[in-house]
Structures are given as C-alpha cells and as structure tokens.
Amino acid sequence: MSTNYAAPAELGKTQGVAIGIGILGIIGWVIGAATSHDAKTTFFQTYLVAYIFWIGISLGCLGLLMVQYLGGGGWGLIIRRQLESASSTLWMMAVLFIPIVLGLHSIYHWSHPISPDAEPPVKKLLEHKAVWLNPNGFTIRAIIYFAIWITLMFLLRKWSAAQDTTPDPNEAQTWVQKAQNWSGPGFLIYAMAVTFAAVDWIMSLDAEWFSTIFGLLTIAGQGVLSIAFLISVSVILSKYEPMAHVLKPKHFHDLGKLQLALVMVWAYFSFSQLLIIWSGNLPEEIPWYLRRFEGTWRPMGIGLLVLHFIMPFLLLLSRDLKKASGRLVWVAGLLIIMRLVDVIWVIVPQFDEMASHGGTAHHTGPAQLAVYVAATLGLGGLWLGWFFWQLRQRPLIPFNDPQLAEAASAGGGH
C-alpha cells in the first residue's frame, strides 16, 4: 500500500469521462436554448438551475469540512481531502457567478421596474423590499458571500497542507487544533452567508413570497447532496489503491448514517415549511405552493416525497445496505438525481409565472426540462473537471494526522 496516498492514475480517466459528459451536455444545452422561444432568457434561467445545483455541493462540502473538524470523528478524516477538493471549486463558482449578474433581468422579476398596474398591497411590498432587492445590493452581497466562503476554505486547506509537511505528531495536532478553533465560529458565519444567499438567489425569484426556514432547508438540501456525492466518489476511489485498503465497510456505514440523518432533516424542514404556510393560508405565501401542486409540478412533488424521502429513508435503515458500498452508491445516485429534481421544482415554476406576467403563456414541459438537465450536465463537466484535478494534486488522506491509525484500523468512528 502507498505510503503517501497519492491519487491513482485511473482518477484521470474518471475526470476525462466527466468532462466528456459535460461537453455533450453543453452541446445539448446550446441546441435547446437556441431552439427555444427566447434563447437569452432560456440560457440564463437554465444556467441558474445548474449553478444552484453545483454550488450546493461546494458549499455543502465546506460545511461538512468544518463539521468533521468539530466532531473529530474518523469518518471525516478519511474523506477530508474530498471535502477540501469540492470546497476549492468555490474559486471557480465565484467566477461563474458573473453570468447570473449579467442576466439579472432574465432571471429575477424584481430587477424590472414595478408595474403601475400592480395591486396596491403588492406594489407597497415590492417597494419596501426594493431596499434589499436591487442589482447593486445583489452584486455586493454576492461578493461578500464568496469572500466569506473562500476565506474559510483557504484557511482550512492551508492548515491541512501544512499538516502534510509536519511529521512531528505534536506539531501536526497544532494545525488540526487551529482548524477546529476556526470551524466553530466559521460554521456559524458560513451558515448565515448561505442563508442570505438562498434568499437572494432562490427565494427572491418570487419577491412576494417568504419563508423563515428557507435558509435551513437550503443547507439541509446541500448536505444531502454533498454526502451522496462523497459516497459516490468514495466508491470510485475504493476500487483502486491506495484507498482500496483504507475504505472499509465501517466507513461507508458512517457515511450512510449521516446520509440518513440529513434526509430526515431535509424532510422535517420541508414538511414544517409546508405545514406552517398551508395552515396560515396567507395570500402572499400560499400561491407559491399552489403553483407547484398543478400541472407538471404535481407528479414531480409526489416524486420528491417518495424518492427523496420515503424510499431512501427505508433503505438507509438497513445496516447491511449502509455497509455494502455497491448498494449504498445506488441510493446516493438516486438522491443526487432527486436533489436536481428538487432544485428544478423550487425554481422553475417561478419562471413560468414570470413569463405569464410578461404576457407570454408558458408552461414548462418535458422538452424544456431536458434543457435544464443538459445545462446541469454541461456546468457539471467544468465542476467535476476542477474537482478531480484538485483531488489528484494532493495525498488522498492527511497521512500525518495523529488520528489516522485509529480511523483506518477501526474503520471509522463517531
């Protein structure tokens, strides 16, 4: 077994496949946008969905990176380099946010002047929210969010890299302690930034609607997606040395338990939001759900209930399934797909409503949904290309960490 835990050459092939699929996705994306009724609007709206999906993994892994430092469990040490590589994509995602700023008018209804025909209560509400929802404020806040996330990511990666060059266990523990000290307040700041970003980037698509739990729901969804992604990558790595002798059933069992917990948290937040808004039955809140309970969105919502919660919940209750990486990865794959379905279900109905406000009768059908999938695959080629490139640059686990022998021999820990 390798002593430096260098990434296997086969990882380069996986990177190439991901980039190839991404190129095909871009081709389909371009064709779909070009043949739509409004190429510019279609491009920016599909871009937002793809962007929200992929930055969800970046941010989810950054949060989990701090959680594993705070928890100190062996499960986190084994996947730490995956977490660092995924969170390092925030550099790229900061640059890729520029098209969203350029396409504000195609994405967000609040970026247009308030219609003089708007009902007085709605007009008053939009004027009140314009203090926050305006192009300049939107852009400045996005810069602040990325500054927070990238700073946290940079410091944690810096201390982790220093640990690799520190054979002295006491000195290595010093770098771990620094990361732990920062992860406590860092996670709170990170969570606040994600909450505000969720309001700006997703919830403001309907400027009249609001949910006080939306930030937590977004963080939970990112956690579900990130763990599913990490399980998938770990299964790939477990097929080759050096990780073939490091990743054991117990590690997958720990990841499976974390996946189960996050699925339950996501379901709890989702149901709480629905229950409170439905029971309140307020005119500024209930239409958000009514739009998603009709047409294409009704079966999609039922699918989320069954395939994002009920089925994964029941499957992940099995200890044997969680320990069997070959079966666990299928559950992870299902959750990755359903996370994209959830992003589409939350975002795209509002684009239909925006089109109707513009006097255009528009209803998203299978052909339009295919463009959203193609956009996600296209942007995913870039994201995965960066991720696997970063993963190949450093040892796959922090081999000087004082906990490594315990984590590897015990097969995890809590």
Side-chain angles (χ1 to χ4, degrees), residues 10 16 52 76 79 120 138 163 173 212 224 228 263 322 333 351 371 407 411:
E10 290 82 359
I52 294 298
I79 62 169
F138 180 90
Q163 188 183 36
Q173 183 59 38
T212 55
V224 172
V263 165
K322 291 195 289 284
F351 293 151
V371 183

Side-chain angles (χ1 to χ4, degrees), residues 325-335:
S325 60
R327 287 187 287 167
L328 180 62
V329 73
W330 285 102
V331 180
L334 172 64
L335 285 170

Side-chain angles (χ1 to χ4, degrees), residues 171-213:
E171 189 176 349
Q173 183 59 38
T174 300
W175 295 114
V176 174
Q177 189 63 49
K178 280 191 175 184
Q180 289 176 340
N181 293 340
W182 270 80
S183 292
F187 185 84
L188 294 177
I189 298 171
Y190 145 87
M192 289 291 291
V194 173
T195 297
F196 280 101
V199 171
D200 282 355
W201 302 351
I202 308 174
M203 195 167 78
S204 75
L205 288 165
D206 185 346
E208 301 174 35
W209 181 73
F210 60 90
S211 167
T212 55
I213 205 174

Side-chain angles (χ1 to χ4, degrees), residues 7-84:
E10 290 82 359
L11 209 57
K13 298 178 182 178
T14 304
Q15 179 185 9
V17 171
I19 294 174
I21 294 175
I23 292 173
L24 294 176
I26 291 175
I27 294 173
W29 184 11
V30 170
I31 294 174
T35 56
S36 66
H37 67 285
D38 186 344
K40 178 183 175 182
T41 299
T42 299
F43 170 79
F44 284 119
Q45 292 181 349
T46 53
Y47 185 91
L48 178 70
V49 169
Y51 187 90
I52 294 298
F53 177 82
W54 288 105
I55 200 172
I57 304 181
S58 304
L59 294 173
C61 286
L62 176 61
L64 287 170
L65 181 59
M66 289 182 280
V67 167
Q68 66 88 33
Y69 272 119
L70 290 171
W75 65 269
L77 189 150
I78 297 299
I79 62 169
R80 184 180 297 168
R81 289 297 152 79
Q82 298 176 43
L83 293 170
E84 292 171 355

Side-chain angles (χ1 to χ4, degrees), residues 57-384:
I57 304 181
S58 304
L59 294 173
C61 286
L62 176 61
L64 287 170
L65 181 59
M66 289 182 280
V67 167
Q68 66 88 33
Y69 272 119
L70 290 171
W75 65 269
L77 189 150
I78 297 299
I79 62 169
R80 184 180 297 168
R81 289 297 152 79
Q82 298 176 43
L83 293 170
E84 292 171 355
S85 298
S87 59
S88 73
T89 60
L90 284 166
W91 289 108
M92 180 181 69
M93 299 309 286
V95 175
L96 292 177
F97 191 78
I98 295 175
I100 294 178
V101 175
L102 297 177
L104 275 180
H105 291 300
S106 298
I107 300 173
Y108 298 99
H109 192 260
W110 53 258
S111 65
H112 299 270
I114 300 174
S115 173
D117 299 329
E119 297 180 2
V122 174
K123 186 176 181 181
K124 184 178 180 180
L125 179 65
L126 295 179
E127 288 174 347
H128 176 71
K129 291 189 176 183
V131 177
W132 181 270
L133 296 178
N134 59 81
N136 290 336
F138 180 90
T139 305
I140 292 171
R141 289 194 301 275
I143 294 173
I144 295 173
Y145 304 150
F146 280 107
I148 291 171
W149 298 327
I150 290 175
T151 298
L152 290 169
M153 177 272 295
F154 175 78
L155 290 174
L156 294 175
R157 280 178 59 87
K158 176 184 176 182
W159 295 327
S160 182
Q163 188 183 36
D164 284 348
T165 59
T166 307
D168 180 16
N170 293 328
E171 189 176 349
Q173 183 59 38
T174 300
W175 295 114
V176 174
Q177 189 63 49
K178 280 191 175 184
Q180 289 176 340
N181 293 340
W182 270 80
S183 292
F187 185 84
L188 294 177
I189 298 171
Y190 145 87
M192 289 291 291
V194 173
T195 297
F196 280 101
V199 171
D200 282 355
W201 302 351
I202 308 174
M203 195 167 78
S204 75
L205 288 165
D206 185 346
E208 301 174 35
W209 181 73
F210 60 90
S211 167
T212 55
I213 205 174
F214 194 77
L216 290 174
L217 180 57
T218 300
I219 292 173
Q222 291 175 349
V224 172
L225 177 58
S226 299
I227 287 295
F229 174 75
L230 292 167
I231 289 172
S232 302
V233 174
S234 295
V235 169
I236 294 173
L237 293 175
S238 69
K239 298 180 184 297
Y240 311 106
E241 293 292 354
M243 299 304 289
H245 284 84
V246 174
L247 287 165
K248 299 180 174 67
K250 177 60 176 171
H251 292 118
F252 289 105
H253 186 227
D254 286 340
L255 292 175
K257 287 187 290 186
L258 189 55
Q259 183 80 89
L260 173 61
L262 287 168
V263 165
M264 290 191 295
V265 169
W266 174 86
Y268 172 75
F269 287 153
S270 296
F271 178 72
S272 298
Q273 178 177 273
L274 170 62
L275 179 64
I276 293 171
I277 290 178
W278 198 262
S279 61
N281 198 28
L282 298 177
E284 64 270 22
E285 295 179 353
I286 202 69
W288 193 90
Y289 274 107
L290 293 178
R291 280 193 291 273
R292 288 157 180 81
F293 287 168
E294 61 184 16
T296 305
W297 311 115
R298 178 191 289 269
M300 193 175 289
I302 296 173
L304 284 170
L305 174 63
V306 175
L307 300 178
H308 195 312
F309 171 58
I310 296 177
M311 183 179 293
F313 172 75
L314 294 176
L315 291 173
L316 290 170
L317 288 176
S318 169
R319 178 181 298 180
D320 291 338
L321 183 142
K322 291 195 289 284
K323 288 184 176 181
S325 60
R327 287 187 287 167
L328 180 62
V329 73
W330 285 102
V331 180
L334 172 64
L335 285 170
I336 290 173
I337 294 172
M338 296 314 298
R339 283 307 309 148
L340 175 58
V341 172
D342 185 46
V343 171
I344 292 174
W345 188 79
V346 169
I347 292 177
V348 180
Q350 200 56 43
F351 293 151
D352 291 349
E353 182 70 12
M354 185 175 175
S356 65
H357 283 165
T360 302
H362 179 67
H363 181 72
T364 301
Q368 290 78 22
L369 291 175
V371 183
Y372 285 98
V373 174
T376 305
L377 292 176
L379 196 61
L382 296 176
W383 195 97
L384 290 169

